[in-house]
Amino acid sequence: VDPPYNTGRRDFVYNDRYFDASNRFRHSTWLEFMYQRLILARDLLADDGVIFISIDDNELFNLGLLMNQVFGEGSFVANCIWQKRYSRENREAIGDAHEYLLVYSPNPDKFKARRGRIPLTEEQAKVYKNPHNPNEIDPTKRWQSISMTAQGYRPNQMYQIVAPNGTVHVPPEGRCWSLIESEYLKLRDAGRIVFGKDGKGVPRIVRYLTEVEGLVPWTWWTHQEVGHTDEARKEVQALFGTQTAFDTPKPLRLMRRVLDIGAPEKDALVLDFFAGSGTLGHAVLEMNKADGGNRRFVLVSSRESTEETPDKNLCRDICAGRVRRAIEGYTAKDEGIVAPLGGAFAYARAIRIPPHRLEHQLKDDVVWTHALLMAGHPLTPFTGSVAISTRNEQLLAYCANTKPVTLRKLREALREHRGPAAVFTWAPAVVSALAEELGRPLTV
């Protein structure tokens, strides 16, 4: 997620108005605003899932403490630094050149087990060569040698190795060999151990380019690898014909890095509840196109309209507009025709209901859908005055009213069903009395 940074420069819209730098409650209001959303995000995350939050210096320390409160200190994974500029910033005492991505997981060990690696760039792959053919492009014949030592002391990895020239090698002080002797002998017999160009060097393992799964990610993300703010603005201009369509976009390559690490599975499900210009959805579509995946995304955005700009609709015009263009293809001024990425999405709007009119504004089909989602039942339409669903021996019902015909249908369903049952109703006392009459436990 990429929440408002609360810089005081009209970037934080709350209750239809901006919070500026002079507001004494700016930080506490922002923290409560974030807290309510992070609690929901925590409950939605899979046990081995992960959340990345973009932020800058304005709220970094406050957000870190809030994340520790919501997820727990043990859920911290990393604080990644994104180099957002490629040119110097000379306006401040010390130029601002980076932002952060705070990374938390409900279970960091489980997340580590499924965490994706970073694909090698062409520049990084250049170190893998065929010594007999420097122009070799076949990855099965390109290799480099890697160290055969590891930190620490393990008795079964402290043996002697005799080089072809007769030199005897032992691990250096404080280290051991990275393989037990039997594994070393297998690699040696397969020609996978080298002793330098002249045969006098320490033993090293031959690693072919095809065996490299990628690089373990680290916390320093340079603009050469993941893009910068100028690149992000040019991407917005290519999509909408102007850089002013969205003020603070993130580059696609930055979102691809997040997905490479957090959503390597081809069926991953990604949620962005501060979707902004829709960059994450665009990146998911790109990733699916590249590897044939079927990753799904949920993007959530508000209109961000205010009293000054009542007709503004960021979600419809920018976020959904970008995703639509990415799917169908578009024409950019400088690039020309950009090929479609394919895919599909549904654009849905939340129903705004004033709290003091909640009972009158909530429609029966909305309540029934909510009940089904809460209980994990398949979605079915609401018909009549009572709706009933059964799944895994659990009965779920919604009574829209307490008319005799409604209660009669509910009574019949409860008599026939012997497993656990739950009923949504506007009149809990009436339904509870019905349960007592039937002499059976019931969640109302």
Side-chain angles (χ1 to χ4, degrees):
V1 295
D2 186 12
Y5 285 3
N6 201 18
T7 63
R9 294 191 294 269
R10 299 174 70 83
D11 68 320
F12 177 32
V13 180
Y14 189 56
N15 289 346
D16 299 331
R17 66 187 180 91
Y18 288 105
F19 270 64
D20 58 34
S22 63
N23 193 303
R24 62 187 293 187
F25 300 110
R26 177 163 59 95
H27 294 288
S28 59
T29 302
W30 185 87
L31 283 169
E32 178 63 18
F33 167 83
M34 290 297 297
Y35 176 73
Q36 298 295 342
R37 287 150 180 79
L38 291 172
I39 287 290
L40 293 171
R42 181 193 64 189
D43 295 342
L44 289 170
L45 265 177
D47 194 34
D48 60 354
V50 63
I51 180 170
F52 291 78
I53 304 187
S54 296
I55 201 68
D56 71 356
D57 290 319
N58 286 281
E59 295 288 2
L60 171 66
F61 303 111
N62 291 331
L63 179 61
L65 291 172
L66 181 63
M67 293 295 288
N68 285 347
Q69 178 181 337
V70 173
F71 289 90
E73 291 185 37
S75 295
F76 174 77
V77 175
N79 182 16
C80 299
I81 298 174
W82 167 47
Q83 185 189 11
K84 66 178 180 179
R85 295 183 187 275
Y86 61 90
S87 59
R88 286 194 171 273
E89 165 58 74
N90 298 318
R91 291 172 294 182
E92 307 295 338
I94 298 178
D96 171 25
H98 68 276
E99 292 181 6
Y100 311 89
L101 287 95
L102 284 178
V103 188
Y104 280 72
S105 173
N107 191 318
D109 290 334
K110 287 186 177 181
F111 165 65
K112 181 181 177 181
R114 56 164 285 272
R115 176 263 296 134
R117 292 176 177 248
I118 306 304
L120 266 68
T121 64
E122 285 297 322
E123 190 65 28
Q124 292 165 334
K126 285 182 180 179
V127 298
Y128 293 84
K129 301 177 181 179
N130 183 341
H132 306 294
N133 180 9
N135 298 319
E136 181 69 72
I137 60 173
D138 185 351
T140 64
K141 297 177 181 178
R142 292 169 58 187
W143 59 273
Q144 73 161 326
S145 65
I146 63 173
S147 173
M148 200 184 130
T149 66
Q151 190 172 1
Y153 175 85
R154 298 179 182 86
N156 62 342
Q157 292 172 214
M158 298 299 293
Y159 48 91
Q160 293 184 344
I161 292 178
V162 181
N165 68 348
T167 302
V168 176
H169 295 280
V170 294
E173 185 177 354
R175 300 184 72 83
C176 60
W177 299 125
S178 59
L179 306 167
I180 60 175
E181 189 170 14
S182 60
E183 294 297 322
Y184 157 73
L185 293 173
K186 288 180 183 178
L187 290 179
R188 185 199 64 182
D189 294 343
R192 298 287 300 273
I193 302 294
V194 293
F195 294 86
K197 292 181 179 180
D198 54 7
K200 297 179 181 179
V202 296
R204 292 175 66 86
I205 301 171
V206 171
R207 173 69 54 82
Y208 287 95
L209 180 56
T210 51
E211 297 174 324
V212 181
E213 298 177 358
L215 302 175
V216 173
W218 63 348
T219 56
W220 173 233
W221 297 6
T222 66
H223 70 81
Q224 294 97 333
E225 293 182 8
V226 299
H228 43 73
T229 52
D230 188 45
E231 179 179 312
R233 284 191 289 267
K234 288 177 179 177
E235 289 169 351
V236 168
Q237 183 167 11
L239 283 154
F240 298 103
T242 173
Q243 291 189 9
T244 61
F246 188 76
D247 294 332
T248 56
K250 293 294 188 290
L252 270 167
R253 289 194 291 161
L254 179 66
M255 293 300 98
R256 281 296 300 267
R257 171 63 59 89
V258 168
L259 292 170
D260 283 336
I261 298 171
E265 303 89 352
K266 291 187 177 182
D267 63 345
L269 176 59
V270 183
L271 166 66
D272 183 351
F273 52 91
F274 286 107
S277 67
T279 313
L280 189 69
H282 193 163
V284 169
L285 294 168
E286 274 195 349
M287 202 168 179
N288 283 342
K289 181 78 171 181
D291 66 8
N294 190 35
R295 297 170 188 83
R296 295 166 296 152
F297 58 82
V298 179
L299 306 181
V300 183
S301 175
S302 66
R303 296 171 58 204
E304 289 204 8
S305 59
T306 65
E307 295 173 353
E308 302 170 6
T309 57
D311 297 326
K312 183 178 180 180
N313 196 325
L314 175 71
C315 187
R316 179 195 64 200
D317 300 334
I318 305 302
C319 187
R322 178 176 192 160
V323 175
R324 188 174 290 109
R325 285 171 172 82
I327 289 173
E328 299 175 355
Y330 58 96
T331 301
K333 182 179 179 181
D334 296 330
E335 302 172 45
I337 296 176
V338 178
L341 295 174
F345 78 102
Y347 177 76
R349 290 181 298 168
I351 300 173
R352 192 180 185 96
I353 301 170
H356 66 283
R357 299 184 65 187
L358 204 60
E359 182 174 344
H360 303 290
Q361 290 287 322
L362 272 178
K363 297 179 180 179
D364 291 330
D365 57 348
V366 175
V367 176
W368 179 231
T369 298
H370 174 67
L372 292 169
L373 289 171
M374 280 189 67
H377 283 227
L379 298 184
T380 57
F382 178 82
T383 56
S385 59
V386 61
I388 296 171
S389 172
T390 56
R391 179 178 180 270
N392 295 337
E393 300 184 356
Q394 181 198 59
L395 181 143
L396 180 70
Y398 167 55
C399 290
N401 53 58
T402 55
K403 294 178 181 179
V405 64
T406 301
L407 295 178
R408 185 168 63 249
K409 289 180 181 179
L410 178 63
R411 183 182 288 106
E412 291 171 357
L414 292 173
R415 278 176 174 163
E416 294 175 3
H417 183 80
R418 289 300 171 192
V423 179
F424 278 68
T425 174
W426 298 105
V430 175
V431 174
S432 296
L434 182 80
E436 285 187 25
E437 173 193 327
L438 294 173
R440 62 158 297 161
L442 187 67
T443 301
V444 179

